[in-house]
Amino acid sequence: GMAMANQAASRSHVPVGLLMVNPKPDLSKLEDILQYSFADKDILQRALTHTSAVSPGRRVNDSYQRLEFLGDRILGLVAADLLFKRLPDAKEGELARALNSIVRKEACAAVAIELGLGSFIQMDKSEARNGGREKPSVLADVCEAIIGAVYVDGGFSSSFDFVTRIFSAHIAAADKPQIDAKTKLQEWAQGRGFPTPQYLEIERTGPAHNPVFSIEVKIEGFETIAAQGPSKKTAEQSVAELFLRREGILET
């Protein structure tokens, strides 16, 4: 079986791994959804190809990982540019929080779901059977990879327009004044004579270039609570907000 598959693959130049996946998705249908037409269809194909769908030796060139790396940076730059212009009076910390609400994996996964990207993702059968096409982490990665693909295919202005369009709802929501949860918690604690909230880093996971910080907040007399974030600052804001919501100080 495998030898035959290998022969067939070498004849048709299809990477062996791709023999296991769903038939090639209809890229023109996806281009309609994305409202962007690729000059190089192969790059769109690569942006949709999970590592499980290609043989290990081809992963660097045939899966979405490199495009995802690029798309992540493009998304951050476009979002920062838009926020810088739209929030002329925002402090650096407020801009950072607004930016995080746009570029975080949950937002990218939500955009991928809105666009219906899941059905276009190429992955091997077992990965797909295990719900791979619905995994938020995979959906977020593919969303970023497509942004990277638009940038490589059409240049910066194409990717700028593309991100502005597909993230419009998230960018608009980020404009809303973000609560500074740490300050609010500090004021609440002081106002009631409680000690100052203490923030402790309890864990750091993930690779150096993409760490996840777990921070817990302690106020004497209250149960501790923890939250995660891509930086200590954002994790501290998240955990302060969780505390405020748990104690009913912030409306959910």
Side-chain angles (χ1 to χ4, degrees):
M2 203 58 204
M4 290 286 290
N6 276 327
Q7 277 175 349
S10 61
R11 270 205 305 278
S12 63
H13 303 291
V14 176
V16 173
L18 283 176
L19 298 174
M20 307 181 286
V21 295
N22 54 329
K24 281 257 166 85
D26 180 355
L27 294 185
S28 62
K29 188 175 153 200
L30 179 56
E31 287 178 317
D32 289 346
I33 294 169
L34 300 175
Q35 295 174 43
Y36 178 82
S37 180
F38 283 82
D40 178 2
K41 308 294 180 204
D42 287 347
I43 199 161
L44 174 57
Q45 182 67 52
R46 196 186 324 154
L48 297 165
T49 304
H50 187 261
T51 50
S52 67
V54 283
S55 53
R58 304 290 311 159
R59 276 180 190 163
V60 170
N61 295 312
D62 289 347
S63 81
Y64 60 59
Q65 288 179 316
R66 284 170 54 86
L67 288 169
E68 175 216 332
F69 165 82
L70 191 57
D72 184 30
R73 303 314 183 275
I74 303 294
L75 172 59
L77 176 58
V78 173
D81 179 277
L82 291 167
L83 291 169
F84 185 82
K85 290 178 185 136
R86 291 174 73 142
L87 304 175
D89 302 319
K91 296 194 195 84
E92 188 259 351
E94 293 166 324
L95 287 170
R97 273 199 298 289
L99 180 72
N100 185 55
S101 74
I102 298 168
V103 302
R104 64 203 178 102
K105 289 286 185 193
E106 293 86 347
C108 295
V111 168
I113 291 165
E114 286 156 26
L115 294 170
L117 297 182
S119 60
F120 294 96
I121 300 172
Q122 298 279 296
M123 50 176 52
D124 82 5
K125 286 205 178 81
S126 69
E127 188 78 29
R129 266 200 304 273
N130 290 327
R133 288 198 180 86
E134 288 85 51
K135 268 190 196 145
S137 59
V138 171
L139 287 163
D141 289 350
V142 169
C143 180
E144 290 174 344
I146 288 176
I147 294 168
V150 171
Y151 171 73
V152 172
D153 187 74
F156 184 68
S157 81
S158 293
S159 61
F160 189 94
D161 295 344
F162 180 67
V163 169
T164 305
R165 192 172 66 250
I166 67 171
F167 276 83
S168 60
H170 293 269
I171 291 161
D175 277 9
K176 307 266 185 300
Q178 302 279 317
I179 58 143
D180 179 353
K182 276 184 76 175
T183 304
K184 198 168 169 104
L185 182 56
Q186 171 95 2
E187 288 166 355
W188 175 82
Q190 273 175 343
R192 281 163 186 68
F194 297 127
T196 304
Q198 302 292 316
Y199 295 89
L200 297 169
E201 181 185 324
I202 49 177
E203 195 183 17
R204 183 187 301 200
T205 55
H209 70 276
N210 199 7
V212 176
F213 294 88
S214 296
I215 303 276
E216 68 176 20
V217 63
K218 283 185 168 164
I219 299 179
E220 218 174 304
F222 291 88
E223 211 179 313
T224 59
I225 188 168
Q228 284 76 40
S231 70
K232 283 186 192 175
K233 261 187 184 168
T234 51
E236 286 173 0
Q237 284 292 342
S238 297
V239 77
E241 190 177 330
L242 273 182
F243 187 99
L244 290 166
R245 289 188 193 287
R246 185 186 73 184
E247 299 302 325
I249 305 146
L250 264 188
E251 296 307 307
T252 310

